[in-house]
Amino acid sequence: MSTTTEKAPLNGVDVPTLFGTRDAVKQTNEIAEFQFRATNTWVSGTHSRSTFAGFYGAMQEMRHAQDTVVESDHPAVLVGTDVGPTPIEYLLHAIAACLTSGIANIAAARGVRLTHVSSSVTGDIDLLGILGLSGGAVRNGYEQIKVTFRIEGDADEATLRDIVDQSRRRSAVYDALTNPTPVHIDVVTG
């Protein structure tokens, strides 16, 4: 797609390669079509294990440098064994991680050196929905998610706030959470 240059990364981002990738996609839009994948296996009770390995992108099948395995479970109070976060908690990580990577890229592209970026994320959920005890009045998922960023760098407050806002506007996870995304479920038995 592009060639890495010798310029020192800013915020850990190779800015010339970032712009080179953007230019390559502008020239050949098909490069932008990606499909990410995970496999999941039930372990026991509410415990399951997902693996992230291969994906399609830049017009070819690819693999991550290493497979990533994550555990999911429910805490004991929700009849689990608590060997990992609940599936809904992974959404909190997903939105924080997506926004944070966007912040690093956008700040680097603007020439802003970051010295600190952290966030806290909360998701409010009423289990009456999942437990089928609300007569349909309570949704099954989060009622709201709140992300609070602490960001510092060599730019003024308005610029730092704008970087976070641009990251929100470009975030794939924010988009998936705030806009309807079709989800198709196929079942194979036997």
Side-chain angles (χ1 to χ4, degrees):
M1 226 173 2
S2 58
T3 304
T4 303
T5 64
E6 297 301 315
K7 187 175 180 182
L10 179 58
N11 305 326
V13 177
D14 180 342
V15 177
T17 299
L18 174 65
F19 283 120
T21 300
R22 189 174 186 277
D23 291 343
V25 170
K26 191 185 297 185
Q27 296 269 328
T28 309
N29 290 174
E30 294 80 15
I31 293 173
E33 296 173 9
F34 277 67
Q35 181 187 68
F36 294 104
R37 305 178 189 126
T39 59
N40 179 271
T41 302
W42 170 67
V43 177
S44 178
T46 59
H47 178 199
S48 67
R49 180 175 297 122
S50 293
T51 303
F52 301 86
F55 62 96
Y56 177 86
M59 301 170 48
Q60 60 188 319
E61 286 295 325
M62 303 180 87
R63 289 191 67 82
H64 290 287
Q66 64 185 29
D67 293 0
T68 299
V69 177
V70 297
E71 306 289 331
S72 185
D73 199 358
H74 290 176
V77 70
L78 297 175
V79 301
T81 55
D82 210 6
V83 292
T86 62
I88 196 79
E89 287 176 285
Y90 277 104
L91 286 178
L92 304 179
H93 167 71
I95 187 68
C98 189
L99 291 169
T100 300
S101 62
I103 288 167
N105 281 338
I106 293 161
R110 292 184 182 189
V112 174
R113 181 171 309 280
L114 298 173
T115 56
H116 179 87
V117 179
S118 63
S119 61
S120 61
V121 188
T122 59
D124 298 329
I125 189 168
D126 184 337
L127 296 183
L128 290 177
I130 293 172
L131 296 173
L133 300 174
S134 73
V138 175
R139 64 179 294 172
N140 294 337
Y142 285 127
E143 296 169 351
Q144 73 169 350
I145 295 173
K146 181 178 181 185
V147 184
T148 302
F149 273 98
R150 178 180 170 96
I151 181 170
E152 299 170 9
D154 66 2
D156 62 28
E157 181 180 335
T159 300
L160 294 172
R161 287 179 181 280
D162 190 55
I163 289 168
V164 174
D165 191 53
Q166 184 177 350
S167 180
R168 178 197 55 81
R169 291 191 314 268
R170 295 288 178 254
S171 168
V173 176
Y174 181 86
D175 177 77
L177 288 172
T178 59
N179 293 297
T181 301
V183 176
H184 306 279
I185 300 175
D186 294 324
V187 178
V188 178
T189 63

